């Protein structure tokens, strides 16, 4: 596995992800909400910064970009369709684009729903999915711009990815998501076990991420919704939970 991902906590519950390619030594940061924690993580590891990968335009995913650009001059990657509301992009991308990350490739997957211009990145060489605010552990992103049908379709664009895929989400929402998931699916033993694990991890101050896609397929009510209508009802129920 050439590329590895490590969570950098930011703000109250955001995760930025530090990507390193062991073959080329290239370094990337995904969705820096703040510059200072990213700089601290890079300095501690003795690393520079070659890339910033953005999933969507919200401030809690982009506010750290200007300071990191000024300090490291990384290549900034984001959706060309959202170029007007993202920090200045050096590499505008679109569905199916392959971004070369020191030999490893990040594949761009357009996932409208949370925002219309939201993209995810998949790194086969490392088995890493960076879904931003599209897929959370035991939950999914709120529908700020897209429809439930769009979000349902977006989540199912991950269907061809392996169960072992490490899902590196944009927020630590798992513990509160677990309460809703258990209310919807109380008999699910895999979910019960995951909820207990999550509770223990959070009590110990540990992140609940990354989580495998296989675990999410077994436990996440939004991935388990049988169709777009059921998904829409679930999303509305969660908004009012
Ligand atoms: Zn967002
Ligand atoms: Fe967010």
């Amino acid at each position: 596995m050439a590329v590895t991902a490590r969570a950098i906590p930011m703000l109250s519950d955001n995760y930025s992800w530090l990507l390193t390619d062991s073959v080329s030594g290239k370094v990337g940061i995904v969705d820096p909400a703040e510059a200072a924690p990213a700089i601290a993580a890079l300095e501690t590891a003795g690393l520079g910064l070659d890339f910033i990968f953005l999933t969507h335009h919200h401030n809690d995913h982009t506010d750290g970009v200007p300071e990191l650009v000024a300090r490291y001059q990384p290549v900034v990657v984001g959706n060309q369709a959202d170029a007007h509301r993202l920090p200045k992009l050096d590499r505008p991308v679109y569905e199916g684009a392959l971004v070369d990350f020191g030999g490893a490739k990040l594949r761009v997957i357009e996932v409208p729903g949370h925002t219309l211009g939201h993209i995810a990145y998949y790194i086969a060489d490392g088995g890493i999915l960076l879904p931003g605010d599209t897929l959370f552990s035991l939950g999914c992103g709120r529908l700020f711009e897209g429809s439930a049908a769009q979000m349902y379709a977006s989540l199912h664009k991950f269907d061809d990815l392996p169960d072992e895929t490490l899902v590196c989400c944009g927020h630590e929402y798992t513990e509160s998501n677990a309460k809703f998931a258990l209310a919807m699916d109380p008999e699910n033993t895999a979910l019960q076990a995951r909820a207990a694990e999550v509770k223990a991890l959070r009590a110990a101050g540990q992140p609940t991420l990354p989580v495998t896609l296989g675990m999410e397929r077994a436990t996440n009510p939004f991935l388990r919704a049988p169709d777009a209508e059921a998904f829409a009802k679930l999303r509305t129920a969660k908004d009012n939970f």
Side-chain angles (χ1 to χ4, degrees), residues 11 17 56 65 82 91 113 127 133 135 150 154-155 175 204 213-214:
L11 304 176
W17 293 87
H56 66 296
V65 171
D82 264 356
R91 177 75 204 273
D133 286 359
L135 174 63
Q150 277 176 315
S154 291
L155 288 170
E175 195 167 20
L213 198 47

Side-chain angles (χ1 to χ4, degrees), residues 2-227:
V3 179
T4 53
R6 186 158 67 78
I8 309 175
M10 294 193 181
L11 304 176
S12 59
D13 55 28
N14 278 75
Y15 288 129
S16 178
W17 293 87
L18 175 63
L19 304 178
T20 48
D21 178 52
S22 62
V23 177
S24 64
K26 293 286 184 202
V27 178
I29 294 247
V30 183
D31 285 355
E34 302 178 88
I39 293 167
L42 293 169
E43 303 251 292
T44 302
L47 298 172
L49 180 63
D50 303 295
F51 290 89
I52 293 174
F53 299 102
L54 302 174
T55 65
H56 66 296
H57 72 283
H58 286 159
N59 290 347
D60 65 313
H61 297 255
T62 57
D63 273 356
V65 171
E67 194 177 334
L68 292 171
V69 165
R71 189 178 178 110
Y72 298 102
Q73 293 88 46
V75 174
V76 181
V77 183
N79 189 350
Q80 67 172 6
D82 264 356
H84 60 287
R85 56 180 183 175
L86 286 168
K88 187 181 170 301
L89 300 178
D90 303 299
R91 177 75 204 273
V93 292
Y94 39 80
E95 175 72 22
L98 289 173
V99 183
D100 185 64
F101 180 63
K105 306 272 190 235
L106 277 78
R107 176 157 65 86
V108 175
I109 307 171
E110 290 182 357
V111 286
H114 179 69
T115 68
L116 288 176
H118 200 303
I119 58 176
Y121 300 92
Y122 175 64
I123 312 170
D125 191 6
I128 293 165
L129 176 65
L130 299 151
D133 286 359
T134 297
L135 174 63
F136 296 124
S137 184
L138 302 178
C140 74
R142 277 178 187 270
L143 301 175
F144 286 116
E145 297 180 355
S147 67
Q150 277 176 315
M151 185 60 125
Y152 178 79
S154 291
L155 288 170
H156 287 284
K157 289 176 88 171
F158 304 144
D159 284 355
D160 62 335
L161 304 182
D163 276 343
E164 319 80 80
T165 303
L166 296 171
V167 186
C168 299
C169 314
H171 289 269
E172 179 61 68
Y173 290 159
T174 318
E175 195 167 20
S176 70
N177 285 345
K179 296 189 177 90
F180 175 76
L182 280 169
M184 294 299 110
D185 195 7
E187 307 299 323
N188 182 333
T189 53
L191 171 58
Q192 292 164 1
R194 170 68 173 152
E197 177 194 52
V198 163
K199 203 171 179 190
L201 283 168
R202 294 312 291 155
Q206 297 294 312
T208 64
L209 301 168
V211 61
T212 66
L213 198 47
M215 175 63 81
E216 289 306 304
R217 287 170 175 147
T219 57
N220 186 324
F222 294 95
L223 283 185
R224 295 167 67 76
D227 54 41

